[in-house]
Amino acid sequence: MPSTTPVVDFWFDPACPWAWMTSRWIDEVAQHRDIEVRWHVMSLSVLNEGRADLPERYVRLMAEGWAPVRVLVAAARDHGPQVLKPLYDAIGTRRHPGGRTDGDAILAEALAEVGLPAELAAVGATTEVDDLLRASHAEAIALVGDEVGTPVVAIDGVGYFGPVVTPAPTGQAALDLFDGLVLMTRVPGFYELKRTRTSGPVFG
């Protein structure tokens, strides 16, 4: 008999605070719903590659964004996809609620925290895993198109950009949001629901 457990595929870039908020929400859901969450890497640096209209601040952020995603991909290549979530958590906790920007130190500490070889950090400065990174990124874009960002969340193969939330819902509110998203994925032709953000990420 086929499994009725929803499969949630979650694509993230560790540089994105909004993806971090959404990942905290799906963590909350996973504590109370029988779901299978599979974690994948996408890249804002890949998404914005070659764009001439980016503000200078974002040009810098996109340049700095290559190393973390490369290290994540290399870690999954060498040690299996199960390392993605704990490594993402270790990086994201330092970067987002921790407010840190010292990228090299964050990667070194995160690798040590999850028991991965320190040598993986060196991959961040190379193109060694870029084919794997681009392939993972392309899987997300194939679901939602390239006029989006991160995160991309797919439920049983139907994907959307988002949800974008702040603060991350907890308790029944988290479950209500998930159940609503499940229902939306079952509506053929449903594409978009959006409003202007009036708050930045709240990491409380």
Side-chain angles (χ1 to χ4, degrees), residues 11-194:
W11 279 267
F12 65 91
D13 183 323
C16 179
W18 297 105
W20 178 256
M21 302 302 299
T22 308
S23 72
R24 301 310 93 181
W25 160 70
I26 207 66
D27 276 353
E28 177 79 2
V29 173
Q31 294 181 41
H32 304 284
R33 286 281 190 272
D34 182 19
I35 61 175
E36 177 188 350
V37 185
R38 303 187 301 201
W39 299 88
H40 312 270
V41 181
M42 65 184 297
S43 170
L44 293 173
S45 300
V46 172
L47 185 68
N48 290 292
E49 201 170 24
R51 284 185 55 184
D53 59 337
L54 288 177
E56 183 59 35
R57 173 174 174 268
Y58 285 98
V59 171
R60 176 178 54 79
L61 289 173
M62 293 307 101
E64 295 171 352
W66 286 102
V69 290
R70 285 167 169 163
V71 170
L72 280 154
V73 169
R77 176 198 63 182
D78 295 350
H79 301 277
Q82 73 279 358
V83 305
L84 281 176
K85 179 58 163 54
L87 185 55
Y88 175 39
D89 287 348
I91 294 170
T93 298
R94 289 166 170 81
R95 183 178 181 115
H96 299 302
R100 290 174 52 184
T101 59
D102 48 336
D104 290 345
I106 288 172
L107 286 175
E109 292 173 21
L111 288 167
E113 179 180 318
V114 299
L116 291 170
E119 293 76 16
L120 281 171
V123 178
T126 76
T127 59
E128 178 183 330
V129 296
D130 281 14
D131 286 349
L132 292 173
L133 170 61
R134 292 178 188 278
S136 181
H137 178 87
E139 289 176 356
I141 296 304
L143 292 173
V144 297
D146 58 6
E147 297 178 358
V148 299
T150 176
V152 168
V153 176
I155 299 175
D156 291 333
V158 180
Y160 294 97
F161 163 58
V164 175
V165 290
T166 188
T170 59
Q172 190 59 47
L175 302 180
D176 289 345
L177 177 58
F178 180 76
D179 293 341
L181 186 58
V182 169
L183 291 175
M184 286 191 293
T185 65
R186 296 174 181 168
V187 179
F190 178 81
Y191 293 108
E192 186 171 358
L193 186 67
K194 186 174 183 179

